[in-house]
Amino acid sequence: MAGLFNLRRYGASIARHHLLTGGSTRRRPPPHANVFGRALHTSSVLDRVVSFHLSDIGEGIREVTVKEWYVKVGDVVEQFDNLCEVQSDKASVTITSRYDGKIVKLHHSVDEIALVGKPLLDFDVEDQAEDDSGSSSSSSDEETERPADAKPAATAGQVPAGKVLATPAVRRIAMENKLDLTKVPATGRNGRVLKGDVLEFLQVIPKGTVKPHPSLVASKDQRKPEPSTPTPIDLKQAETVVPLKGVAKAMVRSMTEALKVPHFAYCDEVDVTKLVEVRSQLKEEAARQGVKLTYMPFFLKAASNALLQHPILNSSFDESSESVIYKTYHNISVAMQTPQGLVVPNVKNVEQKSILQIANDLNALQERGAKGALTPNDFANGTFALSNIGIIGGTYTHPVVMTPQVAIGGLGQTRVLPRFDEAGRVVPAHIMVVSWTADHRIIDGVTMASFSNLWKQYLENPNLLMLGAK
């Protein structure tokens, strides 16, 4: 048996040397070759030295200290045999073998540092020749025969169909457990079934314990299908041309002109908690009079009262004569969504009306807008504008001044937020953010901020609106 083992281990090496030297040089065979006599033959099993790298042991550890070797050079080990114990800065780990073979080199001595990903020791293992179709007296022990009509493997490193690469020890475990090796996922090089694969398949060890050989991972990456190329699309057929008309066409012209004006922006926060209470108290009475009372009439009346103190915001700019045209009437425009698109009609003479009258006029505009029955007079002679974007959502905005007007306000969504009261206690408050935009050619920041403060004062103390109610 010892002679047969040496024949299998060294016969191919001597044969290769003989072929390379052409037989012209005669060398004395090594002592272990004496047992061969003249029984040299080539075999598909070749000697190969494999470096066993220290794998990642987790937790970001990059280096360990070798504390003890359980093997020495010349020892023959099998898979899962203990090789050594290493010590990290967190724990001790026992390193086990993933190969069957002979130890030929230890890269580190005890108490030396070993790096993760670097060689730990070298194995002399049996390596199947790339061409598994060669005849061998031991092929029946190493492989499950494929059908006679199966074609030989055409690509090096691939396992022919119907064959399973495995060692006798692995086959013995499979036979004892009546296991078909063709059903066991292989993780060894060239598709070899390892002992760990069988134990994992039999659920003796946890799934995922055995890591695939790097060559298998690389081959899987190479076999990834290339992303399919999408079918070219005729861009002309995938596009739809819709000519603008009506409100959309008018908006193109108005916004183009408006954005020629230099804009100044200013934002502030308004506590409308008291306004919420007042409106809640008045909406039932307004409903009995057939009027839907929203917050917008309060916003319009507060703006009108503040415009009395800052009339330049209720003006227009004559660019040709470089003059400002002040207007005593407050026709405040209100942006509203209709089936035809966003329109901005105005409530006439807000300064002369009560909150209930403003609400009634606003309801009438909304009804006509929903029916598409707004008239040119509903849009004419606007002097100031408010846009309540908060009914849709959003907190801040940057509205565009509608020329020839010189200012506009954008109202954000009212939210309940924690605030401090006069006693320093945290209380829930209804907070709304207003975003003002003005024509910076004639409106400066102080004017806009002063107007905003006064408008805010009316809303935070809605009873003040009643003092000047008409």
Side-chain angles (χ1 to χ4, degrees):
M1 289 300 292
L4 179 58
F5 175 78
N6 288 329
L7 174 62
R8 289 171 53 79
R9 179 169 290 278
Y10 300 105
S13 299
I14 296 174
R16 287 200 303 271
H17 175 75
H18 180 75
L19 293 173
L20 291 174
T21 57
S24 58
T25 304
R26 302 175 69 83
R27 299 181 62 184
R28 176 173 296 179
H32 54 257
N34 292 336
V35 298
F36 296 165
R38 297 182 180 177
L40 294 178
H41 66 87
T42 59
S43 170
S44 62
V45 182
L46 307 177
D47 292 337
R48 183 169 69 93
V49 175
V50 174
S51 294
F52 182 94
H53 293 77
L54 179 61
S55 60
D56 186 1
I57 58 179
E59 300 187 13
I61 297 173
R62 309 317 309 165
E63 63 179 27
V64 296
T65 302
V66 179
K67 300 304 296 181
E68 181 180 0
W69 282 106
Y70 299 130
V71 295
K72 61 182 181 297
V73 174
D75 286 353
V76 176
V77 298
E78 294 184 351
Q79 297 174 57
F80 300 105
D81 284 351
N82 292 341
L83 299 177
C84 65
E85 181 180 353
V86 298
Q87 175 73 47
S88 70
D89 57 350
K90 299 181 179 180
S92 294
V93 179
T94 299
I95 305 300
T96 59
S97 174
R98 66 163 300 176
Y99 301 108
D100 293 337
K102 181 179 179 182
I103 307 297
V104 296
K105 181 180 180 180
L106 304 180
H107 285 269
H108 302 284
S109 302
V110 174
D111 292 332
E112 285 188 353
I113 299 297
L115 300 178
V116 172
K118 299 298 181 180
L120 190 61
L121 68 164
D122 291 346
F123 283 91
D124 181 6
V125 299
E126 293 181 352
D127 184 20
Q128 290 290 335
E130 298 297 327
D131 183 8
D132 287 313
S133 62
S135 61
S136 172
S137 60
S138 62
S139 61
S140 59
D141 293 333
E142 296 293 329
E143 302 171 351
T144 302
E145 291 297 340
R146 62 185 174 189
D149 58 346
K151 296 182 180 180
T155 306
Q158 294 181 346
V159 181
K163 292 189 177 182
V164 176
L165 300 181
T167 62
V170 173
R171 295 184 184 281
R172 183 173 61 254
I173 296 175
M175 182 178 63
E176 292 172 352
N177 291 274
K178 298 181 181 179
L179 176 63
D180 184 359
L181 286 178
T182 59
K183 299 180 180 179
V184 179
T187 63
R189 186 174 183 272
N190 294 337
R192 181 186 296 272
V193 178
L194 306 178
K195 182 189 295 184
D197 300 334
V198 175
L199 297 179
E200 196 172 298
F201 189 84
L202 295 172
Q203 299 182 352
V204 176
I205 60 177
K207 187 175 182 180
T209 301
V210 183
K211 304 300 181 183
H213 192 276
S215 62
L216 292 182
V217 177
S219 64
K220 289 181 179 179
D221 292 340
Q222 293 173 359
R223 290 195 300 268
K224 286 182 179 178
E226 296 183 359
S228 58
T229 304
T231 305
I233 300 176
D234 187 346
L235 297 182
K236 291 184 178 180
Q237 294 182 357
E239 297 173 352
T240 303
V241 178
V242 179
L244 293 178
K245 55 184 178 181
V247 174
K249 189 172 183 178
M251 187 169 65
V252 172
R253 293 193 300 267
S254 61
M255 290 298 102
T256 301
E257 290 298 319
L259 289 176
K260 295 178 181 179
V261 174
H263 283 53
F264 168 79
Y266 178 83
C267 294
D268 201 1
E269 183 181 278
V270 184
D271 186 345
V272 294
T273 303
K274 293 182 179 179
L275 177 60
V276 171
E277 295 176 359
V278 169
R279 185 247 177 183
S280 177
Q281 295 169 2
L282 297 178
K283 68 178 182 179
E284 291 185 4
E285 178 60 29
R288 279 195 291 268
Q289 299 184 33
V291 179
K292 179 182 179 182
L293 183 62
T294 64
Y295 293 106
M296 183 58 75
F298 294 93
F299 299 150
L300 294 178
K301 190 60 180 179
S304 178
N305 287 358
L307 287 173
L308 294 173
Q309 303 298 321
H310 302 278
I312 193 172
L313 291 170
N314 195 60
S315 67
S316 60
F317 178 62
D318 187 348
E319 191 171 354
S320 60
S321 63
E322 294 187 350
S323 57
V324 179
I325 304 173
Y326 288 85
K327 302 172 182 179
T328 58
Y329 52 91
H330 298 168
N331 295 347
I332 302 181
S333 303
V334 179
M336 59 179 63
Q337 185 65 31
T338 70
Q340 292 74 35
L342 184 69
V343 295
V344 192
N346 59 72
V347 179
K348 309 292 186 186
N349 303 312
V350 175
E351 80 284 358
Q352 300 177 9
K353 297 177 179 178
S354 67
I355 292 177
L356 197 61
Q357 290 172 325
I358 296 170
N360 187 57
D361 288 356
L362 190 59
N363 290 342
L365 287 175
Q366 291 172 335
E367 289 177 6
R368 292 199 296 273
K371 298 176 181 178
L374 290 170
T375 65
N377 184 60
D378 292 328
F379 299 94
N381 303 317
T383 61
F384 189 80
L386 288 178
S387 175
N388 189 8
I389 192 67
I391 60 175
I392 299 176
T395 305
Y396 300 91
T397 183
H398 188 282
V400 178
V401 175
M402 300 187 303
T403 55
Q405 297 177 18
V406 296
I408 184 174
L411 312 177
Q413 186 179 32
T414 299
R415 299 173 297 165
V416 178
L417 300 172
R419 291 294 184 269
F420 290 101
D421 63 7
E422 295 177 354
R425 295 168 300 185
V426 177
V427 295
H430 291 78
I431 303 299
M432 181 186 71
V433 173
V434 59
S435 303
W436 301 105
T437 307
D439 184 342
H440 210 6
R441 294 176 298 179
I442 61 173
I443 307 298
D444 56 34
V446 173
T447 302
M448 191 74 256
S450 300
F451 169 84
S452 179
N453 289 339
L454 185 54
W455 181 79
K456 173 181 177 179
Q457 183 181 354
Y458 282 120
L459 296 180
E460 291 186 341
N461 300 278
N463 290 331
L464 295 176
L465 294 175
M466 306 306 171
L467 295 178
K470 293 185 178 181

